[in-house]
Amino acid sequence: MSARRPGHPAPSAALLLAALALAASGCFAFPFRASDDPQRPTVTDFEIRGTNAIDAGELKSHLATQASSRRYVVFREEQYLDPDAFANDKQRIVRYYQAHGYYAARVVSSELVPDGEGRVKVRVGVEEGPPTRVSLVDVTGLEGAPEAAQRLGQLPIKVGDVFTDAAYDQGRADLLAALGATGYAKAEVTQRAEVDPSRSEARVHYAVTPGPRYRFGSIFVAGAAAIPRSRIREEAERVITPGTFYDATELPKAQAGIVDLGVFGGVRVTPSIDEAKQTVTPVVQVREAPFRTIRAGPSLDLTLTRIDAAMVAGWQHRNWLGGLRRLSLDARAGWAFLPAESKNGFAGLFSADLLQPSVIRKLLDFNIHGELQWGLEPLYNYRAERLRIGFPLRVGRIFTFIPSVNWEIYHLSGTPSLAPPGSNSQVLLFQTCPSRDPNLCVLSYFEQRFAFDLRDDPINTTTGVYLTLALQEGVSVRGNGSAYVRYLPEARAFASLPGSVVAAARARVGVVNPLSAPIVPVVATFTSGGPNMRGYYTQRLSPMLQDTPGHFIPVGGYGLLDGSFELRFPIYGAIGGAAFMDFGNVQAVASDALKIQNLQWAAGVGLRYKTPFGPIRVDVARRLGNGTVQVVDRSNGVIGATTEPRFAFGFSIGEF
């Protein structure tokens, strides 16, 4: 079976969007504007020849002379030649090579090649020469601090390495860090390098003066007014234990923990050394911020299959009734349009969240969260009430564990065309849980969420790893609800590349197994598409139910596998771009989703623009495969397939 849903974007429109994105990213070149000053011509190209050991692009990024970029033609600015800066750049090239261990490097040629009136190409030739290698690394005085020697491990500079300034300085920094982490708060390290360019060798010397070994003293708090000093001291003592040997690495950890309380505009933890007592007092200096926050703004999510326009507002008190009790109220109200289903209506979400910290000792918090939501889906309309009671376990900033008990009630409507003729009072089990009311879906489940976070920044991430695992165990209560088990692990990884480029990868796997009723409710099944697999529109990568000829509605599957590979790069100011490759698969049978041959692939480009309301995101993706998805019958059996459009376009404003 194969059909195309009405309302899909024409390939020509998607191609035009892709062309605009490519033009913005510089795949189309236009002539550079000529300079009006003959002494400062436009630099159309800058080439450094003879670079083998050094990356030419990285070297040029450290110079004042730059070529006019052929990328981002919509926002680019021409670069002009400054003769004085160019003369200094030749010296910078030599110094850059020396910093990387090439002390015999020299500039052997430089020329300015005319490239039309008012334009010039810059050509520089270098001769790198042999590298200078480390012939000796000598560390003296470390025997007086055996604990530091044990912690140090291997220095970043060793015999046989090319001698570089970075490794040389990092060796001293590592020695000081090892000393500071083992109690030697006033240790000193002097460094000396004997470089012999004629023999291409360097001898490195580090002299260590450990000094006395210190212990932590009592924690001192300053600047607190409404927040009790004892509460701040308690948070710091989660990391720092008075009386133990001083460890400089514990200070930023304590500072981060106090920042996470969310009520301070500034936090600084510094050491104060008492030489007579040989103790280090951690001094916590805080600046309290306003406890109340109000935010409001528009939100827009636009695709060719769904439009959501809303106003968003929120209020938060981070010290409600004292004790760092946090109360958050959020509202989202707007209108949703589903053009292909000819449906539209009110869509809203109102929620309240209360967090009570430290209900059991210092590690366990108490959280209660309630929601009231109205929404539209292709398969049904609904009103939902949700309640979650959780007990977040705070082990540290890296690891999070949140067990919770959840109740969700979905009042379903808008599905009469899906019922068998003459029995409109019965709705398919695709939409409902086994219950006394077929239009009511009641979910009761336990959930455990684990998170392992090594990202440098959770919002604008450039490096790190983020791992999560969500487990659900559905239970049936007096005939209402459904017993099932649901697993959803996800992994994300980020790496910073030259030129402020960030490489990102993501993958998740989902499996849901029914334990009692043969069918898992639709609100607990998996769909993909949209931000998770940009080659399909939201929820369109899913097993489908055909309600009328040529019209297919996603009902979700029991197995999920999706992810992406992405390069993110700056373009101009607040504007950024992305190039991505997404993959995904959702199947009615869970094991089928894990088969690599069933994966769908899509490639595309995107633009990002930061605004006070959140980022504006535009993505254009093209599927690389046939784009088929399963068609299932009422018993969840696969009876055929249908084809989704080859191109997908996404536009959104704000955080969702």
Side-chain angles (χ1 to χ4, degrees):
M1 177 184 300
S2 178
R4 182 180 294 275
R5 296 174 62 250
H8 288 325
S12 58
L15 286 172
L16 176 60
L17 291 169
L20 291 174
L22 290 172
S25 63
C27 292
F28 301 136
F30 295 90
F32 293 108
R33 184 172 61 248
S35 171
D36 297 328
D37 184 353
Q39 301 301 317
R40 295 172 56 86
T42 301
V43 179
T44 60
D45 190 36
F46 183 15
E47 181 181 0
I48 302 178
R49 298 169 176 170
T51 56
N52 294 307
I54 299 296
D55 181 81
E58 184 68 18
L59 170 57
K60 285 188 287 187
S61 68
H62 290 77
L63 304 179
T65 303
Q66 296 291 322
S68 302
S69 176
R70 295 187 180 276
R71 302 172 65 195
Y72 322 132
V73 296
V74 178
F75 312 102
R76 76 180 184 197
E77 294 181 3
E78 274 71 13
Q79 299 290 330
Y80 303 102
L81 179 69
D82 183 334
D84 293 334
F86 180 52
N88 290 332
D89 278 341
K90 299 174 189 177
Q91 300 178 20
R92 293 189 184 100
I93 291 173
V94 173
R95 180 65 193 105
Y96 185 88
Y97 265 99
Q98 291 176 347
H100 289 75
Y102 288 80
Y103 282 82
R106 61 194 184 98
V107 174
V108 295
S109 66
S110 63
E111 57 180 335
L112 305 177
V113 181
D115 190 26
E117 184 177 356
R119 304 181 184 89
V120 68
K121 296 181 178 179
V122 179
R123 299 287 183 262
V124 174
V126 299
E127 185 179 285
E128 293 180 331
T132 297
R133 297 191 176 275
V134 178
S135 61
L136 173 69
V137 177
D138 179 38
V139 180
T140 60
L142 194 58
E143 61 277 4
E147 304 84 4
Q150 184 178 2
R151 180 163 181 144
L152 177 63
Q154 189 176 34
L155 286 173
I157 186 169
K158 56 185 181 295
V159 174
D161 289 350
V162 175
F163 176 77
T164 65
D165 287 0
Y168 174 56
D169 292 337
Q170 188 61 47
R172 177 177 182 271
D174 285 4
L175 284 165
L176 285 172
L179 290 159
T182 52
Y184 299 93
K186 298 196 69 177
E188 296 180 356
V189 178
T190 58
Q191 63 187 53
R192 179 169 54 92
E194 301 168 352
V195 179
D196 187 349
S198 64
R199 301 180 60 181
S200 298
E201 68 175 28
R203 299 165 64 86
V204 177
H205 304 272
Y206 297 106
V208 176
T209 306
R213 200 175 185 201
Y214 292 77
R215 294 180 180 271
F216 277 119
S218 299
I219 298 171
F220 179 79
V221 179
I227 304 301
R229 286 178 170 81
S230 60
R231 181 66 184 86
I232 302 171
R233 189 177 298 110
E234 177 184 284
E235 189 65 31
E237 287 178 350
R238 285 165 46 85
V239 178
I240 298 171
T241 303
T244 61
F245 282 111
Y246 171 72
D247 184 346
T249 65
E250 305 295 349
L251 300 180
K253 294 178 185 177
Q255 179 172 302
I258 297 170
V259 169
D260 285 346
L261 295 176
V263 293
F264 300 111
V267 178
R268 188 180 181 188
V269 180
T270 57
S272 177
I273 298 176
D274 186 332
E275 296 186 15
K277 297 181 180 179
Q278 290 190 2
T279 60
V280 176
T281 299
V283 178
V284 181
Q285 181 71 41
V286 298
R287 176 172 53 84
E288 292 179 351
F291 296 141
R292 298 178 184 85
T293 299
I294 299 176
R295 59 183 180 86
S299 175
L300 176 65
D301 187 10
L302 171 64
T303 70
L304 295 184
T305 62
R306 185 182 184 99
I307 302 172
D308 285 282
M311 290 296 296
V312 179
W315 176 88
Q316 185 181 72
H317 197 303
R318 288 176 291 276
N319 193 36
W320 186 59
L321 302 180
L324 294 180
R325 190 176 294 106
R326 184 177 304 177
L327 177 63
S328 302
L329 303 176
D330 292 282
R332 175 188 176 88
W335 210 258
F337 303 85
L338 280 67
E341 280 74 33
S342 300
K343 294 173 63 173
N344 69 87
F346 174 74
L349 175 65
F350 303 91
S351 67
D353 188 276
L354 176 65
L355 177 67
Q356 172 62 60
S358 303
V359 292
I360 300 178
R361 302 178 66 86
K362 300 177 182 180
L363 296 180
L364 197 66
D365 300 339
F366 173 77
N367 174 241
I368 183 169
H369 180 91
E371 289 183 354
L372 179 60
Q373 183 178 17
W374 291 263
L376 283 76
E377 297 295 342
L379 186 63
Y380 54 85
N381 304 340
Y382 67 92
R383 185 184 82 247
E385 298 104 28
R386 305 185 185 97
L387 178 66
R388 180 182 72 241
I389 297 177
F391 298 89
L393 179 64
R394 295 188 298 156
V395 181
R397 290 172 62 90
I398 294 177
F399 179 72
T400 304
F401 172 51
I402 306 177
S404 63
V405 182
N406 300 259
W407 296 271
E408 299 182 6
I409 302 176
Y410 294 83
H411 305 270
L412 306 175
S413 62
T415 59
S417 64
L418 301 181
S423 58
N424 288 340
S425 62
Q426 296 297 319
V427 186
L428 296 176
L429 288 178
F430 282 122
Q431 300 112 265
T432 185
C433 303
S435 65
R436 298 184 179 90
D437 184 350
N439 290 311
L440 184 68
C441 181
V442 180
L443 287 184
S444 303
Y445 60 90
F446 300 98
E447 183 177 57
Q448 304 83 43
R449 289 185 174 270
F450 303 83
F452 185 72
D453 193 350
L454 290 176
R455 295 172 295 179
D456 60 338
D457 187 319
I459 298 176
N460 298 306
T461 309
T462 59
T463 60
V465 175
Y466 183 60
L467 306 175
T468 64
L469 173 62
L471 302 177
Q472 283 185 12
E473 301 88 25
V475 297
S476 177
V477 180
R478 301 184 65 181
N480 294 302
S482 179
Y484 65 89
V485 179
R486 189 176 191 263
Y487 314 87
L488 185 62
E490 181 175 358
R492 304 178 190 178
F494 306 86
S496 181
L497 303 178
S500 300
V501 175
V502 175
R506 179 191 64 84
R508 61 176 184 163
V509 179
V511 175
V512 57
N513 290 322
L515 299 180
S516 56
I519 295 178
V520 174
V522 69
V523 291
T525 57
F526 298 108
T527 64
S528 189
N532 293 310
M533 205 294 190
R534 285 161 283 191
Y536 288 80
Y537 288 106
T538 301
Q539 296 187 347
R540 297 304 298 181
L541 182 52
S542 164
M544 298 285 185
L545 176 74
Q546 184 176 13
D547 66 331
T548 59
H551 189 259
F552 299 88
I553 297 177
V555 294
Y558 291 3
L560 163 74
L561 174 62
D562 66 16
S564 65
F565 305 97
E566 184 168 298
L567 289 177
R568 305 169 184 173
F569 47 87
I571 294 179
Y572 183 81
I575 299 174
F580 56 85
M581 176 76 74
D582 289 359
F583 61 89
N585 183 24
V586 181
Q587 299 282 319
V589 178
S591 59
D592 290 343
L594 305 181
K595 296 177 180 178
I596 302 300
Q597 63 268 27
N598 290 335
L599 282 179
Q600 300 282 348
W601 295 84
V605 294
L607 294 175
R608 307 288 184 267
Y609 182 75
K610 296 180 181 179
T611 75
F613 308 113
I616 298 175
R617 300 187 293 270
V618 180
D619 288 308
V620 179
R622 182 187 188 279
R623 280 191 298 96
L624 304 181
N626 55 19
T628 59
V629 293
Q630 294 177 327
V631 176
V632 296
D633 64 10
R634 296 177 181 179
S635 64
N636 210 31
V638 180
I639 61 174
T642 183
T643 303
E644 290 293 294
R646 188 169 294 276
F647 287 90
F649 166 72
F651 172 81
S652 60
I653 301 177
E655 301 291 352
F656 292 89

